[in-house]
Amino acid sequence: MSSAALQIEGVGKTFATAGGAVEAVRGIEIEVAQGEFIAILGPSGCGKTTLLRMIGGLIAPSQGDVRMSGQSILSGGNAAEARLGELAFAFQESRLFPWFTIEENIALPLRLRGVSASERIKRSRDLCQLVGLKGFETARPSQLSGGMRQRASLARALSVSPKLLLLDEPFGALDAMTRDQMNIELQRICATTNATVVLITHSIAEAVFLADRVVVLTPRPGRIHAIHKIELPRPRTIDMQETPEFQNHVRAIRTDIAGYPS
Ligand SMILES: Nc1ncnc2c1ncn2[C@@H]1O[C@H](COP(=O)(O)OP(=O)(O)OP(=O)(O)O)[C@@H](O)[C@H]1O
Ligand SMILES: [Mg+2]
Protein backbone atom coordinates (compact mmCIF):
# COMPACT_ATOMS: atom_id res chain seq x y z
CA MET A 1 0.00 0.00 0.00
CA SER A 2 1.26 3.49 -0.86
CA SER A 3 1.98 5.83 2.04
CA ALA A 4 0.31 8.75 0.23
CA ALA A 5 -2.38 10.55 2.26
CA LEU A 6 -4.48 10.95 -0.85
CA GLN A 7 -4.44 9.09 -4.14
CA ILE A 8 -6.53 10.34 -7.03
CA GLU A 9 -6.48 7.50 -9.51
CA GLY A 10 -7.67 8.15 -13.05
CA VAL A 11 -10.70 10.05 -11.83
CA GLY A 12 -13.32 11.24 -14.30
CA LYS A 13 -16.90 12.47 -14.08
CA THR A 14 -19.64 12.71 -16.67
CA PHE A 15 -23.01 14.17 -15.66
CA ALA A 16 -26.20 13.05 -17.37
CA THR A 17 -28.27 16.17 -18.02
CA ALA A 18 -31.46 16.91 -19.93
CA GLY A 19 -29.28 18.37 -22.68
CA GLY A 20 -27.13 15.22 -22.89
CA ALA A 21 -23.95 13.99 -21.20
CA VAL A 22 -21.61 16.67 -19.78
CA GLU A 23 -18.06 15.47 -19.24
CA ALA A 24 -16.74 17.63 -16.40
CA VAL A 25 -13.48 15.93 -15.40
CA ARG A 26 -11.23 13.43 -17.20
CA GLY A 27 -8.34 11.17 -16.15
CA ILE A 28 -7.04 13.02 -13.09
CA GLU A 29 -4.07 11.27 -11.51
CA ILE A 30 -2.38 12.83 -8.44
CA GLU A 31 -0.73 11.44 -5.29
CA VAL A 32 -0.61 13.78 -2.31
CA ALA A 33 1.65 13.22 0.71
CA GLN A 34 0.49 13.79 4.31
CA GLY A 35 0.97 17.47 5.15
CA GLU A 36 1.33 18.47 1.52
CA PHE A 37 -0.50 21.55 0.22
CA ILE A 38 -1.92 21.27 -3.30
CA ALA A 39 -3.54 24.18 -5.13
CA ILE A 40 -5.78 23.61 -8.13
CA LEU A 41 -6.11 26.33 -10.77
CA GLY A 42 -8.28 26.30 -13.84
CA PRO A 43 -10.81 28.35 -15.80
CA SER A 44 -14.39 28.71 -14.61
CA GLY A 45 -16.46 25.62 -15.36
CA CYS A 46 -13.47 23.34 -15.96
CA GLY A 47 -14.51 20.89 -13.24
CA LYS A 48 -12.62 22.02 -10.11
CA THR A 49 -15.55 21.85 -7.70
CA THR A 50 -16.61 18.54 -9.22
CA LEU A 51 -13.11 17.17 -8.64
CA LEU A 52 -13.06 18.43 -5.03
CA ARG A 53 -16.46 16.87 -4.36
CA MET A 54 -15.18 13.54 -5.67
CA ILE A 55 -12.06 13.81 -3.50
CA GLY A 56 -14.32 14.35 -0.48
CA GLY A 57 -16.64 11.50 -1.41
CA LEU A 58 -19.66 13.79 -1.86
CA ILE A 59 -20.17 12.48 -5.39
CA ALA A 60 -18.97 9.25 -6.97
CA PRO A 61 -16.51 9.33 -9.86
CA SER A 62 -17.70 7.92 -13.21
CA GLN A 63 -14.20 6.51 -13.68
CA GLY A 64 -11.33 5.86 -11.30
CA ASP A 65 -11.14 6.02 -7.53
CA VAL A 66 -9.96 8.25 -4.69
CA ARG A 67 -8.10 6.77 -1.73
CA MET A 68 -7.55 8.38 1.65
CA SER A 69 -4.79 6.62 3.60
CA GLY A 70 -5.10 3.74 1.12
CA GLN A 71 -8.87 3.28 1.56
CA SER A 72 -11.36 3.99 -1.20
CA ILE A 73 -13.40 7.10 -0.43
CA LEU A 74 -16.48 5.16 -1.52
CA SER A 75 -16.14 2.30 0.95
CA GLY A 76 -18.97 2.28 3.49
CA GLY A 77 -19.47 1.04 7.05
CA ASN A 78 -16.71 1.65 9.60
CA ALA A 79 -14.37 3.03 6.96
CA ALA A 80 -16.90 5.73 6.11
CA GLU A 81 -17.35 6.57 9.81
CA ALA A 82 -13.61 6.88 10.31
CA ARG A 83 -13.26 9.06 7.23
CA LEU A 84 -15.91 11.48 8.48
CA GLY A 85 -13.65 12.41 11.35
CA GLU A 86 -10.63 12.95 9.11
CA LEU A 87 -12.02 15.18 6.42
CA ALA A 88 -13.36 18.72 6.36
CA PHE A 89 -14.66 21.19 3.75
CA ALA A 90 -14.79 24.97 3.58
CA PHE A 91 -16.48 26.90 0.78
CA GLN A 92 -16.52 30.29 -0.88
CA GLU A 93 -19.24 31.53 1.46
CA SER A 94 -18.91 30.94 5.18
CA ARG A 95 -22.22 29.07 5.74
CA LEU A 96 -22.46 29.87 9.46
CA PHE A 97 -25.75 29.55 11.32
CA PRO A 98 -26.92 33.10 12.22
CA TRP A 99 -28.70 32.04 15.41
CA PHE A 100 -25.59 30.38 16.92
CA THR A 101 -22.65 32.24 18.45
CA ILE A 102 -19.24 31.96 16.80
CA GLU A 103 -18.06 29.34 19.28
CA GLU A 104 -21.28 27.35 18.86
CA ASN A 105 -20.84 27.44 15.08
CA ILE A 106 -17.24 26.32 15.35
CA ALA A 107 -18.13 23.48 17.73
CA LEU A 108 -21.13 22.27 15.74
CA PRO A 109 -19.33 19.32 14.10
CA LEU A 110 -18.19 18.23 17.57
CA ARG A 111 -21.71 18.53 18.96
CA LEU A 112 -22.98 16.34 16.12
CA ARG A 113 -20.33 13.80 17.12
CA GLY A 114 -21.52 13.80 20.74
CA VAL A 115 -18.53 15.60 22.27
CA SER A 116 -19.39 16.98 25.74
CA ALA A 117 -20.28 20.67 26.18
CA SER A 118 -17.24 21.48 28.32
CA GLU A 119 -14.86 19.83 25.86
CA ARG A 120 -16.55 21.65 22.95
CA ILE A 121 -16.18 25.05 24.60
CA LYS A 122 -12.53 24.40 25.33
CA ARG A 123 -11.85 23.27 21.79
CA SER A 124 -13.72 26.14 20.12
CA ARG A 125 -11.92 28.70 22.30
CA ASP A 126 -8.56 27.23 21.25
CA LEU A 127 -9.67 27.39 17.62
CA CYS A 128 -10.79 31.03 17.98
CA GLN A 129 -7.30 31.78 19.22
CA LEU A 130 -5.73 29.84 16.33
CA VAL A 131 -7.64 31.74 13.63
CA GLY A 132 -7.39 35.13 15.34
CA LEU A 133 -10.97 35.42 16.62
CA LYS A 134 -10.18 35.67 20.30
CA GLY A 135 -12.71 37.98 21.98
CA PHE A 136 -15.46 37.14 19.47
CA GLU A 137 -16.42 33.72 20.88
CA THR A 138 -19.91 34.80 21.92
CA ALA A 139 -20.60 37.18 19.02
CA ARG A 140 -23.14 36.25 16.31
CA PRO A 141 -22.00 35.86 12.69
CA SER A 142 -23.86 39.08 11.72
CA GLN A 143 -21.57 41.04 14.08
CA LEU A 144 -18.44 39.90 12.21
CA SER A 145 -16.84 41.13 8.99
CA GLY A 146 -16.69 38.87 5.92
CA GLY A 147 -13.06 37.99 6.60
CA MET A 148 -13.82 37.11 10.21
CA ARG A 149 -16.72 34.92 9.14
CA GLN A 150 -14.41 33.07 6.73
CA ARG A 151 -11.99 32.54 9.61
CA ALA A 152 -14.82 31.16 11.75
CA SER A 153 -15.76 28.84 8.91
CA LEU A 154 -12.14 27.67 8.66
CA ALA A 155 -12.08 27.12 12.43
CA ARG A 156 -15.23 25.02 12.15
CA ALA A 157 -13.59 22.90 9.45
CA LEU A 158 -10.55 22.50 11.73
CA SER A 159 -12.66 21.52 14.76
CA VAL A 160 -12.53 17.84 13.84
CA SER A 161 -8.71 17.98 13.47
CA PRO A 162 -9.00 16.88 9.85
CA LYS A 163 -6.17 15.01 8.22
CA LEU A 164 -7.50 16.27 4.92
CA LEU A 165 -8.82 19.80 4.40
CA LEU A 166 -10.71 20.55 1.17
CA LEU A 167 -11.07 24.25 0.39
CA ASP A 168 -13.18 25.54 -2.51
CA GLU A 169 -12.17 29.19 -3.08
CA PRO A 170 -12.61 30.01 0.62
CA PHE A 171 -11.19 33.52 0.21
CA GLY A 172 -12.63 34.34 -3.21
CA ALA A 173 -15.11 36.88 -1.86
CA LEU A 174 -12.58 38.80 0.23
CA ASP A 175 -10.71 42.00 -0.60
CA ALA A 176 -7.01 41.72 -1.48
CA MET A 177 -5.69 42.85 1.91
CA THR A 178 -7.91 40.53 3.95
CA ARG A 179 -7.05 37.75 1.54
CA ASP A 180 -3.31 38.23 2.08
CA GLN A 181 -3.91 38.06 5.81
CA MET A 182 -6.02 34.89 5.47
CA ASN A 183 -3.28 33.29 3.41
CA ILE A 184 -0.71 34.01 6.13
CA GLU A 185 -3.16 32.62 8.68
CA LEU A 186 -3.85 29.48 6.64
CA GLN A 187 -0.14 28.84 6.16
CA ARG A 188 0.42 29.10 9.91
CA ILE A 189 -2.51 26.78 10.65
CA CYS A 190 -1.22 24.20 8.17
CA ALA A 191 2.23 24.28 9.76
CA THR A 192 0.60 23.72 13.18
CA THR A 193 -1.81 20.94 12.22
CA ASN A 194 0.15 19.15 9.44
CA ALA A 195 -3.14 18.65 7.58
CA THR A 196 -3.07 17.69 3.92
CA VAL A 197 -4.78 20.47 1.97
CA VAL A 198 -6.40 20.69 -1.46
CA LEU A 199 -7.26 24.31 -2.26
CA ILE A 200 -9.17 25.52 -5.30
CA THR A 201 -8.41 29.09 -6.26
CA HIS A 202 -8.63 31.47 -9.21
CA SER A 203 -5.59 33.40 -8.04
CA ILE A 204 -2.20 32.33 -9.41
CA ALA A 205 -0.42 34.39 -6.73
CA GLU A 206 -2.46 32.75 -3.96
CA ALA A 207 -1.67 29.29 -5.37
CA VAL A 208 2.07 30.02 -5.54
CA PHE A 209 2.04 31.61 -2.09
CA LEU A 210 0.39 28.66 -0.34
CA ALA A 211 1.13 25.50 -2.28
CA ASP A 212 3.86 22.89 -2.43
CA ARG A 213 2.49 21.99 -5.87
CA VAL A 214 0.14 23.87 -8.19
CA VAL A 215 -2.01 21.75 -10.48
CA VAL A 216 -3.21 23.59 -13.59
CA LEU A 217 -6.32 22.11 -15.18
CA THR A 218 -7.40 22.50 -18.81
CA PRO A 219 -10.78 23.88 -19.83
CA ARG A 220 -13.64 21.36 -19.49
CA PRO A 221 -13.35 18.46 -19.36
CA GLY A 222 -10.75 19.28 -16.69
CA ARG A 223 -7.54 17.35 -17.28
CA ILE A 224 -4.11 17.96 -15.78
CA HIS A 225 -2.41 20.51 -18.02
CA ALA A 226 0.70 21.01 -15.87
CA ILE A 227 1.99 20.57 -12.32
CA HIS A 228 4.36 23.16 -10.84
CA LYS A 229 6.47 22.35 -7.83
CA ILE A 230 6.87 25.46 -5.65
CA GLU A 231 10.05 25.22 -3.65
CA LEU A 232 9.99 28.63 -1.98
CA PRO A 233 11.11 28.49 1.68
CA ARG A 234 8.52 28.63 4.50
CA PRO A 235 7.09 30.49 6.21
CA ARG A 236 6.38 32.53 3.13
CA THR A 237 5.81 36.25 3.55
CA ILE A 238 3.84 38.82 1.58
CA ASP A 239 7.11 40.56 0.68
CA MET A 240 8.30 37.37 -0.96
CA GLN A 241 5.72 37.95 -3.69
CA GLU A 242 8.01 40.69 -5.04
CA THR A 243 11.02 38.37 -5.44
CA PRO A 244 12.16 37.10 -8.87
CA GLU A 245 11.70 33.46 -7.69
CA PHE A 246 8.05 34.06 -6.84
CA GLN A 247 7.45 36.05 -10.03
CA ASN A 248 9.06 33.28 -12.12
CA HIS A 249 6.54 30.75 -10.80
CA VAL A 250 3.65 33.11 -11.50
CA ARG A 251 4.93 33.76 -15.01
CA ALA A 252 5.47 30.06 -15.76
CA ILE A 253 1.90 29.25 -14.70
CA ARG A 254 0.53 32.15 -16.77
CA THR A 255 2.43 30.85 -19.78
CA ASP A 256 0.92 27.39 -19.21
CA ILE A 257 -2.58 28.81 -19.11
CA ALA A 258 -1.94 30.78 -22.31
CA GLY A 259 -0.94 27.49 -23.96
CA TYR A 260 -4.23 25.65 -23.36
CA PRO A 261 -5.19 23.16 -26.04
CA SER A 262 -7.93 24.63 -28.22
N1 LIG B 1 -24.65 18.18 -10.66
C1 LIG B 1 -24.35 18.52 -11.92
N2 LIG B 1 -25.14 18.14 -12.95
C2 LIG B 1 -24.83 18.47 -14.21
N3 LIG B 1 -23.75 19.17 -14.57
C3 LIG B 1 -22.93 19.58 -13.60
C4 LIG B 1 -23.19 19.29 -12.21
N4 LIG B 1 -22.18 19.83 -11.48
C5 LIG B 1 -21.35 20.43 -12.35
N5 LIG B 1 -21.79 20.28 -13.61
C6 LIG B 1 -21.11 20.76 -14.84
O1 LIG B 1 -19.77 20.34 -14.79
C7 LIG B 1 -18.91 21.37 -15.28
C8 LIG B 1 -17.89 21.71 -14.23
O2 LIG B 1 -18.52 22.36 -13.12
P1 LIG B 1 -17.72 22.74 -11.81
O3 LIG B 1 -18.67 23.36 -10.87
O4 LIG B 1 -16.96 21.57 -11.33
O5 LIG B 1 -16.69 23.83 -12.39
P2 LIG B 1 -15.64 24.75 -11.63
O6 LIG B 1 -14.31 24.53 -12.28
O7 LIG B 1 -15.73 24.55 -10.17
O8 LIG B 1 -16.15 26.23 -12.02
P3 LIG B 1 -16.04 27.61 -11.18
O9 LIG B 1 -14.59 28.03 -11.28
O10 LIG B 1 -16.93 28.54 -11.94
O11 LIG B 1 -16.47 27.35 -9.78
C9 LIG B 1 -19.81 22.53 -15.68
O12 LIG B 1 -20.05 22.44 -17.06
C10 LIG B 1 -21.08 22.28 -14.91
O13 LIG B 1 -22.20 22.76 -15.60
MG1 LIG C 1 -16.30 25.78 -8.55
Side-chain angles (χ1 to χ4, degrees), residues 100 104-117 120 159:
F100 284 146
E104 285 166 345
N105 267 288
I106 292 173
L108 194 62
L110 300 176
R111 184 167 161 189
L112 298 176
R113 284 168 171 76
V115 174
S116 73
R120 286 196 317 257
S159 68

Side-chain angles (χ1 to χ4, degrees), residues 90-130:
F91 305 92
Q92 185 162 14
E93 68 289 4
S94 53
R95 299 189 186 181
L96 301 172
F97 290 100
W99 52 83
F100 284 146
T101 64
I102 292 305
E103 68 183 3
E104 285 166 345
N105 267 288
I106 292 173
L108 194 62
L110 300 176
R111 184 167 161 189
L112 298 176
R113 284 168 171 76
V115 174
S116 73
S118 59
E119 181 59 31
R120 286 196 317 257
I121 290 171
K122 186 182 171 309
R123 180 96 182 105
S124 59
R125 298 216 162 139
D126 288 348
L127 284 163
C128 277
Q129 174 105 35
L130 183 70

